[in-house]
Amino acid sequence: MNKNILIGIILFTSIVFQAFLSSAATLFDEANTNVIAGNYSRAIEQYNQLIEEQGSSPALLYNLARAFEENGQRGLAILNYSRAESLAPGDAEIISALDRIRKANGLFEEEAQSWQHRFTSLLNLNHWSELLLGALLCYTALQLLLLLRSVDKKVVVIISTLCALVTAVSTTAIALQWQTMDAMIVVSDSAKLRLSPIKGSDVVRGIREGRKVVPLKQHGDFCYVEDSSGTKGWVEKKAVVAVDGR
Amino acid sequence: MKTLFRKNLVLSFLLALLLVSGAVSTVLAAPVITASLNTDKLPLNQAGQLTVIITSKEGKLKMPEVKGLRFNLFSKKVKSSSIISNISGNKKNISTSFIFRVAAEEEGKYTIPPIRLITTDKNYASTPVTFEVVAPVKAAKNTGNIGGTTIQLPSIQLPGMPFSQGIIGQSAPQQVKSGKTMQESDIAFFTIKTKQNIYEGENVPVEIKLCLNPEIHFLDLSMPRIAAEDLSIPPLDGKGVKEDNEEINGKIWHTLTWQTTLSGIKPGKHQLDITGQVTVRMPATSKASSGQQQRSHRDIFNASPEEILAEMMSHSIFDNPFADSFTPMVRKDLTPKKSVTFTVEALPEKGRPVNFTGAVGSFNLKTSVSRDKVEAGDPLTLSVEVSGKGNFKSVTMPKLADNQSIKTYPPTEKFISVGLNAGKKTFDQGIIIKNSSVTELPAVSFNYFDPEKKTYVTKSTPPIPLTVIGAGYTPQPVPQKNTTDQAAAAVSTDHPLPLKFDLGSTTTDLRPMPRRPWFIFSCIVALLAALAAFTFRHIHTSQRTARRSVQKQLTSRLAGDLASVDKAQQAGDGHLFLNTCRVAIQNRLAGRCGVHASAVSSSNLREILPEDSVLLEVFQMAENAAYGGEVPTDFEMDQLYPMIRKALEDIK
């Protein structure tokens, strides 16, 4: 009797879950069709609804970015491409799309000047994090193995050295890229860097929509940011959105 | 004979006298350069007068540098006189006097090192001058000569100009005699050095000099004002002013010099007016041609007896002190002016290039690119550097020739000034080469008007060769991965990549990995596990090593003990044999008994050894022998030794 009830619960749950997934997939397809048909606003609404209900996925964010791009909202397009890239760092399509939209809008990233920056730019933050975790797990596994059986000393030394090296390098790279974790994208086409966090204060210069900035501090409705060229200024909070969705 | 001798003696004496007098006159002749200070005790707030006299020589005077002392040249006088030389007759002697004002920064003893006169054939030096700077004395009201020894140097500051002592400050006039009429130009005047015929937009350097009579006591000095219509010239300030003493028309003047630039805005004749305002203090009888007069507080009734005496002593006996020194002093406001008319000529229409932006001067053009090998679609930076002299405000980024395959972005510009009218302006322009059909960046041309040559000049740089790799910026379709091919094909071809049709796994966490809790947790767990395993292994290894070490020690000790037993057996000494056996058993079994080796007794051994153990038997024999019991014979020792050895070695 109990067994039958358990089977029933499992079946019911799986049916509900399948239906839920199916409805999500349907909504996703519908939104894609709207993009193709040119109904970008409707597609954006549907993608956002999906994100609220299901969360984000690289594909969802990518398509949302495409819809924004088609709709002429390049700031939001770059924001969602960047988010998609953070979820799927190795996705060539996402990287290519982000690169293309930046170039098309004249948003060139400043070339890394120092060798440290060049080196850390070889991989993105998630890749360095994966390397760090991998090295730590490898070293742990080695230590546990040594508890169980003896291993050739040379092998132990080589593996330990490699793990230490990878840990040191990836930790340094993460530390150097730490600030970029807070990166924000300018989503307003009339955003300006101001001298003070006051409306109407002197403008340092305009900042292009889609430009990546790093927040340094906040005050009221303003955020003190630095762009890739090193220019700093206060920008309205509503004009920038954090890539990590904070 | 005697007479002849006397005559010769007299002649010899006269000759010797002549020679001696010549030599003495040569030795006692005045030195070429002398230096003297008018006091040996100089109050800190006053200036002394250093007189340097150069006789019969011409050359360059080199003043020494003394820490804490300042020398200001006050006047230069040249005197000529005839002297009778005992050999060559009349000779004209020229002496030049330089008078310096000496002021000290702090009290103490100072020595002015020899002042050098550098001539073409030889260098001469004066003797050092030693004096003491003492505590400052209370300033007299009249700021005049005090006791004829020192001269107070009051200071005047231009608005915005750093403090400068003694540039204008001066005592009561020495050369301004009462009753003498002074023109305003004798006190202060402007000079302007510039090019007066200029072109519209041309930047020309202008030197404005305010010359001040060092013999006049200036109380106040305002920044000169410039008035000019249709001429562009920045207002003067105290930052760039240069202060000096210069000889103008044979007289030393204190000068304040401003270097600036001027440009004509509109063609025509335009006047530039410079007006200054100075306030001076001078004797009332010295009539200046303009300015208001005010009575000074300084008069005979306000002067102290010491001051009156000082004034009297400061003048030569030929002067009338009561007619001169006690003349009422007045304050006068003067407004020196200078006007210059500029003729601004319009730039010629003839030969004016179409893309002329108004640059006038003389310029050079240089271009460079950030890289000469690019992939189609990749950005590169074109740097254009315009350097030279002229109006850089009108220098703009030269336009690249239109090319559909090259996309350009608005340039950034940076200007570095390298002089009054010279500099370097650099433009950095972002460029995208869209496809590989581009083989070079087109030539860059820049036009300007050269006022010297009176013609338009076009400077061009050669095209920059480029290597462009790749098919180009044109979007390329990517093979569709998933379903709904038709839908994907319908996507605008303006975009290189299609939509994604597989939703994939979703997450609500967009944070980068180092910010995600599971990553931090995993790292901490991995680290702790590795640390725990390492620590455990380390402790285990240490214990094993310690055990091995103890075992090694015991084995070594056993070998020693057995050697002693063997030695006693060989010697046939039963007592020694039993004693060494007892020590060997104690050493070997102390660890198992848990007591010190010397404290191991037969009762301890009974607890850990079987009753028939040879060790227990031998130990008992040894204890008995100590109390007079029997000792083993040689035969018994031969029998016992291998058994004891084996039993001891078998113990783990």
Side-chain angles (χ1 to χ4, degrees):
Chain A
M1 179 64 186
N2 286 342
K3 197 179 174 182
N4 289 337
I5 290 172
L6 188 67
I7 292 168
I9 290 169
I10 292 169
L11 275 174
F12 179 75
T13 311
S14 64
I15 289 165
V16 168
F17 188 67
Q18 282 297 324
F20 187 67
L21 286 182
S22 160
S23 73
T26 310
L27 188 59
F28 185 61
D29 283 343
E30 207 178 304
N32 290 345
T33 311
N34 276 325
V35 174
I36 293 158
N39 299 324
Y40 304 120
S41 303
R42 178 69 190 136
I44 289 165
E45 278 175 27
Q46 287 170 327
Y47 286 134
N48 280 330
Q49 186 189 338
L50 262 175
I51 289 169
E52 274 184 25
E53 290 171 359
Q54 299 275 312
S56 307
S57 76
L60 180 51
L61 290 168
Y62 172 83
N63 288 1
L64 175 61
R66 283 289 312 279
F68 275 125
E69 190 180 352
E70 294 284 358
N71 210 30
Q73 294 166 279
R74 62 183 176 198
L76 287 166
I78 290 171
L79 171 72
N80 285 288
Y81 279 134
S82 302
R83 285 177 171 176
E85 191 198 19
S86 72
L87 287 182
D91 191 314
E93 285 173 273
I94 296 170
I95 293 168
S96 172
L98 190 55
D99 196 34
R100 177 182 48 77
I101 189 172
R102 279 185 175 147
K103 278 180 189 169
N105 289 285
L107 296 164
F108 305 119
E109 292 291 313
E110 293 289 317
E111 283 186 17
Q113 299 297 319
S114 62
W115 66 268
Q116 293 103 316
H117 279 95
R118 284 183 193 169
F119 174 70
T120 53
S121 306
L122 290 175
L123 298 175
N124 71 16
L125 202 57
N126 286 351
H127 285 144
W128 284 119
S129 307
E130 283 164 4
L131 264 182
L132 172 65
L133 188 58
L136 286 176
L137 289 174
C138 181
Y139 184 68
T140 308
L142 177 71
Q143 290 298 329
L144 292 172
L145 183 70
L146 286 171
L147 284 181
L148 300 175
R149 52 174 293 183
S150 64
V151 181
D152 186 7
K153 205 174 177 181
K154 276 184 184 172
V155 175
V156 174
V157 169
I158 290 168
I159 293 175
S160 299
T161 309
L162 281 175
C163 288
L165 198 68
V166 172
T167 304
V169 169
S170 51
T171 307
T172 309
I174 290 170
L176 288 172
Q177 289 193 9
W178 192 262
Q179 231 184 10
T180 62
M181 283 197 288
D182 299 323
M184 297 175 119
I185 302 291
V186 178
V187 294
S188 166
D189 59 355
S190 58
K192 286 178 176 60
L193 288 180
R194 296 182 182 277
L195 277 177
S196 345
I198 302 162
K199 278 185 182 174
S201 67
D202 288 345
V203 173
V204 177
R205 72 170 200 203
I207 185 156
R208 203 180 281 236
E209 187 182 5
R211 176 73 75 193
K212 191 198 272 185
V213 293
V214 176
L216 302 174
K217 55 186 172 184
Q218 296 188 9
H219 180 86
D221 293 334
F222 284 82
C223 198
Y224 190 62
V225 298
E226 180 180 9
D227 71 3
S228 55
S229 68
T231 308
K232 293 175 186 172
W234 292 93
V235 66
E236 278 190 273
K237 278 183 182 172
K238 64 183 181 188
V240 287
V241 180
V243 174
D244 67 2
R246 276 172 293 124
Chain B
M1 185 66 188
K2 263 186 179 179
T3 310
L4 188 63
F5 177 74
R6 276 179 191 170
K7 274 184 182 176
N8 284 341
L9 191 66
V10 169
L11 279 173
S12 301
F13 178 75
L14 285 173
L15 187 63
L17 193 67
L18 192 65
L19 288 170
V20 167
S21 69
V24 167
S25 68
T26 307
V27 169
L28 297 179
V32 171
I33 178 166
T34 60
S36 61
L37 192 69
N38 62 342
T39 180
D40 54 354
K41 282 195 177 176
L42 176 66
L44 184 61
N45 62 338
Q46 296 183 0
Q49 186 171 300
L50 176 73
T51 308
V52 181
I53 299 169
I54 298 163
T55 313
S56 302
K57 288 285 175 188
E58 282 186 359
K60 194 180 171 186
L61 192 67
K62 191 176 180 187
M63 290 298 290
E65 284 189 6
V66 185
K67 194 181 176 186
L69 287 184
R70 293 188 304 274
F71 300 98
N72 281 326
L73 180 63
F74 174 60
S75 68
K76 178 186 168 188
K77 285 177 186 171
V78 180
K79 278 184 185 173
S80 63
S81 59
S82 293
I83 57 168
I84 299 167
S85 168
N86 51 5
I87 295 175
S88 58
N90 279 356
K91 186 181 177 184
K92 200 166 190 182
N93 190 15
I94 297 171
S95 71
T96 310
S97 306
F98 292 89
I99 296 173
F100 292 90
R101 292 289 150 81
V102 184
E105 287 173 358
E106 55 185 30
E107 292 173 33
K109 284 192 174 176
Y110 290 87
T111 301
I112 301 170
I115 298 163
R116 297 186 184 282
L117 177 72
I118 300 161
T119 63
T120 50
D121 55 342
K122 197 178 172 185
N123 293 350
Y124 301 90
S126 68
T127 52
V129 178
T130 304
F131 66 103
E132 189 179 359
V133 176
V134 295
V137 296
K138 195 180 171 185
K141 282 179 187 176
N142 60 2
T143 68
N145 286 359
I146 307 297
T149 55
T150 57
I151 299 156
Q152 190 177 355
L153 289 176
S155 63
I156 294 173
Q157 268 184 285
L158 274 175
M161 182 182 159
F163 175 82
S164 170
Q165 188 179 21
I167 57 159
I168 303 162
Q170 184 50 270
S171 66
Q174 292 177 338
Q175 294 177 11
V176 180
K177 301 297 178 189
S178 59
K180 195 186 279 182
T181 302
M182 285 192 83
Q183 295 297 319
E184 190 174 295
S185 59
D186 294 333
I187 299 168
F189 64 90
F190 279 108
T191 64
I192 299 175
K193 213 185 278 182
T194 185
K195 180 181 163 188
Q196 282 175 262
N197 291 318
I198 60 174
Y199 277 99
E200 182 185 359
E202 182 186 354
N203 256 20
V204 287
V206 181
E207 184 189 274
I208 298 167
K209 195 170 280 182
L210 175 58
C211 304
L212 304 165
N213 189 335
E215 296 166 0
I216 299 294
H217 183 192
F218 286 83
L219 296 172
D220 196 14
L221 182 63
S222 67
M223 190 61 67
R225 289 190 309 276
I226 297 176
E229 273 188 23
D230 296 325
L231 293 171
S232 172
I233 181 167
L236 300 181
D237 58 30
K239 286 179 189 170
V241 66
K242 192 182 157 198
E243 162 202 337
D244 208 348
N245 290 321
E246 288 179 44
E247 191 176 331
I248 300 169
N249 298 329
K251 190 180 172 188
I252 302 291
W253 290 81
H254 287 301
T255 57
L256 300 172
T257 309
W258 289 265
Q259 300 283 355
T260 184
T261 56
L262 173 144
S263 65
I265 297 168
K266 271 167 73 175
K269 291 203 171 192
H270 307 296
Q271 187 169 305
L272 174 83
D273 298 315
I274 295 180
T275 314
Q277 192 165 13
V278 295
T279 306
V280 298
R281 190 176 195 176
M282 56 196 301
T285 48
S286 290
K287 291 167 191 167
S289 59
S290 68
Q292 294 176 342
Q293 296 192 357
Q294 272 183 306
R295 270 200 72 85
S296 166
H297 295 294
R298 169 164 164 66
D299 55 34
I300 193 167
F301 303 106
N302 287 332
S304 64
E306 290 83 5
E307 288 170 358
I308 294 168
L309 183 64
E311 287 289 344
M312 289 172 72
M313 289 176 72
S314 69
H315 290 268
S316 68
I317 56 168
F318 301 108
D319 290 338
N320 179 355
F322 292 99
D324 191 10
S325 300
F326 298 108
T327 305
M329 300 295 284
V330 290
R331 182 190 172 98
K332 291 172 185 168
D333 292 325
L334 308 175
T335 49
K337 280 182 188 171
K338 178 80 179 176
S339 297
V340 179
T341 303
F342 287 86
T343 306
V344 181
E345 202 176 323
L347 293 174
E349 288 292 333
K350 190 185 171 188
R352 182 180 291 189
V354 180
N355 50 359
F356 175 68
T357 57
V360 181
S362 175
F363 301 98
N364 287 314
L365 183 68
K366 209 164 78 177
T367 54
S368 62
V369 282
S370 54
R371 48 193 168 152
D372 56 2
K373 193 174 179 183
V374 290
E375 281 194 30
D378 276 355
L380 59 91
T381 305
L382 169 67
S383 297
V384 178
E385 183 188 296
V386 181
S387 58
K389 286 184 176 180
N391 58 344
F392 276 93
K393 279 184 183 173
S394 299
V395 175
T396 56
M397 171 76 184
K399 274 192 175 178
L400 281 180
D402 284 341
N403 188 331
Q404 291 296 318
S405 299
I406 299 175
K407 186 172 183 180
T408 58
Y409 291 91
T412 59
E413 60 180 58
K414 190 168 73 180
F415 177 68
I416 300 166
S417 175
V418 291
L420 193 60
N421 196 25
K424 187 171 78 176
K425 204 167 192 177
T426 310
F427 302 93
D428 287 330
Q429 183 164 41
I431 285 176
I432 285 185
I433 308 297
K434 292 181 180 176
N435 54 54
S436 55
S437 67
V438 178
T439 55
E440 62 181 27
L441 273 183
V444 176
S445 293
F446 172 67
N447 303 299
Y448 64 91
F449 181 77
D450 191 330
E452 300 298 324
K453 295 176 185 167
K454 299 184 178 181
T455 181
Y456 290 97
V457 178
T458 299
K459 286 269 168 91
S460 297
T461 58
I464 302 171
L466 281 180
T467 308
V468 183
I469 311 160
Y473 186 58
T474 313
Q476 297 296 312
V478 169
Q480 184 60 40
K481 284 182 181 172
N482 298 300
T483 56
T484 58
D485 285 352
Q486 288 179 340
V491 174
S492 166
T493 50
D494 289 342
H495 291 91
L497 299 168
L499 291 174
K500 287 179 183 285
F501 292 94
D502 182 11
L503 181 59
S505 58
T506 57
T507 176
T508 52
D509 196 353
L510 287 171
R511 287 174 294 183
M513 205 181 273
R515 283 264 169 87
R516 289 182 202 169
W518 69 263
F519 174 80
I520 298 165
F521 179 75
S522 305
C523 286
I524 292 170
V525 167
L527 265 177
L528 288 177
L531 195 67
F534 179 80
T535 310
F536 182 78
R537 205 163 55 81
H538 183 70
I539 292 168
H540 184 70
T541 310
S542 302
Q543 284 175 346
R544 198 166 55 191
T545 310
R547 276 201 304 272
R548 277 182 187 162
S549 171
V550 169
Q551 190 69 35
K552 202 175 172 183
Q553 272 185 349
L554 287 174
T555 310
S556 166
R557 188 179 287 178
L558 178 64
D561 290 345
L562 288 176
S564 301
V565 173
D566 187 44
K567 204 173 171 184
Q569 188 212 345
Q570 296 293 330
D573 188 342
H575 276 290
L576 186 61
F577 178 78
L578 286 176
N579 209 22
T580 51
C581 283
R582 186 172 59 86
V583 171
I585 292 165
Q586 282 178 323
N587 284 340
R588 191 64 177 160
L589 294 172
R592 285 182 68 180
C593 294
V595 293
H596 191 266
S598 59
V600 173
S601 64
S602 55
S603 60
N604 294 129
L605 295 180
R606 274 190 209 100
E607 286 173 13
I608 57 168
L609 293 175
E611 281 186 8
D612 58 345
S613 168
V614 69
L615 298 177
L616 192 60
E617 188 186 343
V618 171
F619 196 85
Q620 195 63 53
M621 281 172 71
E623 281 190 341
N624 291 339
Y627 296 103
E630 288 183 359
V631 293
T633 60
D634 288 348
F635 176 75
E636 284 171 339
M637 282 192 286
D638 289 343
Q639 295 290 315
L640 281 172
Y641 178 68
M643 290 162 69
I644 291 166
R645 184 185 184 98
K646 187 174 184 306
L648 285 173
E649 283 175 349
D650 285 347
I651 293 168
K652 297 292 179 190

